[in-house]
Structure formats: C-alpha cells, structure tokens
Amino acid sequence: MAPARQLYELQRLEVDNDEARNTMLVLESELADTQLIDQASHSLENAKKTLSDIYLRQKRTELEIGECEERLRVTEGRLYAGQTTNPRELLGLENEIQSLRTKKQQAEDHFLDLMVQAEQTETDIAGANTNLVVIERQQVEKRDELLSKREQLTKQLVSQEHQQQTIRSTIPPTELAIYEGLKTSKGNPIAQVEHGICRGCGLTLSSHELQRARTAADIVRCGSCSRILYIV
C-alpha cells in the first residue's frame, strides 16, 4: 500500500475514533444524568409535604373550633342562667357570644377550604407518583439502550485502535514523524485531491505536483499548505 494511502487510512481511523470517544463521553453523561427522576421525585415529595402541612392545619383548626364551642357553652350558660342582671355585663356576654360564633364560623369555613385543598393535593400526589413510575420505567429502557450503544462503541474502539496500531507499524518512522508533526500544526495532515484541487487549502495543484502525487513512491506534500496529498 502506498504511504499516502496508509497515512490517509490512519487519519480516517483517528477521526472515527475521536468521534467515537466523543460519543462515548455523551453516553456516559446521559447514563449519569438523573435530572428527570430527581425532578419527579422532588415534585412527589413536595406534594406529600404540602398534604402533611394541610393535615396539621386541619388539626389546629379543629382544636380552634373545639375551643370556640367550649367557650360558647360556658358563655351562653352564664347568659341564660339568669345569674347576671347587670345590663352592661349582659351586653358584654351577648357581644362575646356573637364574636365566638363568628370566629367559630370562620374556623369551620377554613376547615372546609382545607378539606378541598387536601383532596386536590391527594390527587396531585397520585399524579406525581404515576409520573415518577413512568419516568423510572422510561429511564430503565433508556439506560438499557445506552448501555447497548456503549458496548458497541467499546468494541468499535478496540477494533479501530488495533487497526491503527497495525497501520502505524507498517509506516516508515520518518513519514510517521512528518504525519504527527502536521497533525499538531494542521489538524488533519492528509489532504484529498479532487479535480486537481487540494482540499486542505482549496488551491489548484500544479501539473508537476499532481503528477508526483499520482506516481511517486514516497509522500508528496502540497506546495501551499504542506499537507500530504492523497488522490482518491
């Protein structure tokens, strides 16, 4: 195999390997990503905490209603027992009773509101739990798919790296050193020649360069960009 062809194959394998490694990094990132599950779990926990807070407020409201009822019982007992005859005291008891009834009614209304909130939050919890189950199932399926892709890529990389080493072993050290030096300075050291044009720099080759690239037994470099020329 001509040196330019060997070096071109080496470059192609190295580019493919770089792409495979980049894909592998993306796969590893996706495998480690738990954001969707974390968000779904967070939503579920928030809904549960909200329900717990509502239940706590319901208990406090029940106690408040009970306290109002007890104070009403005592105050109404004093009013209707006939033991208080002072008009001012009677008016004070009546006002206190009215205030307690208003407070009790407000507490009962608040308790009903809390019941509605609790019912809605229970629905939210059921929905969040279902969503979490669905996402967990989807993530398991996605993980299996990603693991399969990673396994295929790993095998591909092993095969291609073996091919790289095989090709490198057949390339003379001098030409390999030129290749490595151009790779550092140019990125891709091999430039294809199409219709007499160097695809590395986009300039038209001289007839002499073109003839040498076709027939020379050693590597031929572009007079403009210094890349190694390879005619497909």
Side-chain angles (χ1 to χ4, degrees):
M1 185 183 293
R5 173 66 183 275
Q6 290 176 304
L7 292 169
Y8 174 77
E9 289 299 321
L10 178 60
Q11 177 178 277
R12 183 185 61 79
L13 285 168
E14 288 180 342
V15 170
D16 288 347
N17 279 359
D18 287 342
E19 291 179 354
R21 291 189 188 96
N22 288 336
T23 302
M24 185 75 81
L25 290 175
V26 173
L27 289 177
E28 294 294 349
S29 177
E30 290 181 353
L31 283 167
D33 184 14
T34 61
Q35 183 177 359
L36 289 177
I37 290 180
D38 291 344
Q39 289 176 344
S41 298
H42 187 64
S43 296
L44 178 58
E45 290 306 313
N46 279 347
K48 288 180 177 179
K49 183 179 182 301
T50 297
L51 185 61
S52 178
D53 290 342
I54 291 172
Y55 285 158
L56 180 60
R57 282 184 284 162
Q58 281 183 323
K59 290 180 180 178
R60 289 173 177 169
T61 305
E62 284 180 319
L63 289 174
E64 184 179 353
I65 292 171
E67 290 174 358
C68 287
E69 289 175 341
E70 176 61 21
R71 290 176 61 188
L72 271 172
R73 185 187 65 78
V74 172
T75 306
E76 287 175 342
R78 290 174 58 195
L79 177 64
Y80 300 127
Q83 298 176 354
T84 303
T85 57
N86 186 295
R88 178 176 293 181
E89 291 182 6
L90 289 172
L91 181 60
L93 290 173
E94 289 174 352
N95 289 338
E96 184 177 356
I97 289 171
Q98 183 59 45
S99 176
L100 287 170
R101 286 175 177 171
T102 300
K103 186 176 181 180
K104 178 174 175 288
Q105 184 61 54
Q106 290 173 342
E108 289 173 341
D109 291 342
H110 182 54
F111 186 81
L112 290 175
D113 288 340
L114 290 172
M115 288 180 63
V116 172
Q117 292 178 35
E119 184 176 352
Q120 179 58 53
T121 305
E122 287 168 356
T123 301
D124 293 342
I125 288 174
N129 190 63
T130 299
N131 183 54
L132 177 59
V133 170
V134 170
I135 289 177
E136 286 177 336
R137 183 175 66 249
Q138 291 174 341
Q139 291 299 99
V140 168
E141 293 172 354
K142 181 180 179 181
R143 181 176 179 81
D144 290 342
E145 181 181 346
L146 292 174
L147 288 172
S148 177
K149 288 182 178 179
R150 185 176 69 175
E151 182 180 1
Q152 293 173 5
L153 271 176
T154 300
K155 291 178 180 178
Q156 176 185 329
L157 277 168
V158 170
S159 174
Q160 291 179 173
E161 286 173 355
H162 176 71
Q163 293 178 54
Q164 276 183 243
Q165 294 304 318
T166 300
I167 292 176
R168 280 179 173 275
S169 68
T170 64
I171 300 173
T174 302
E175 294 176 349
L176 193 59
I178 293 172
Y179 173 87
E180 293 295 344
L182 286 171
K183 188 166 65 173
T184 300
S185 62
K186 301 291 185 180
N188 289 334
I190 311 299
Q192 291 189 47
V193 178
E194 296 179 0
H195 307 297
I197 297 174
C198 171
R199 291 304 176 187
C201 60
L203 297 180
T204 301
L205 300 173
S206 68
S207 58
H208 176 68
E209 287 176 315
L210 196 56
Q211 182 62 26
R212 287 194 63 225
R214 287 196 181 102
T215 61
D218 57 351
I219 61 175
V220 178
R221 298 170 65 177
C222 174
S224 176
C225 68
S226 299
R227 290 182 174 87
I228 299 168
L229 298 174
Y230 171 64
I231 299 179
V232 180

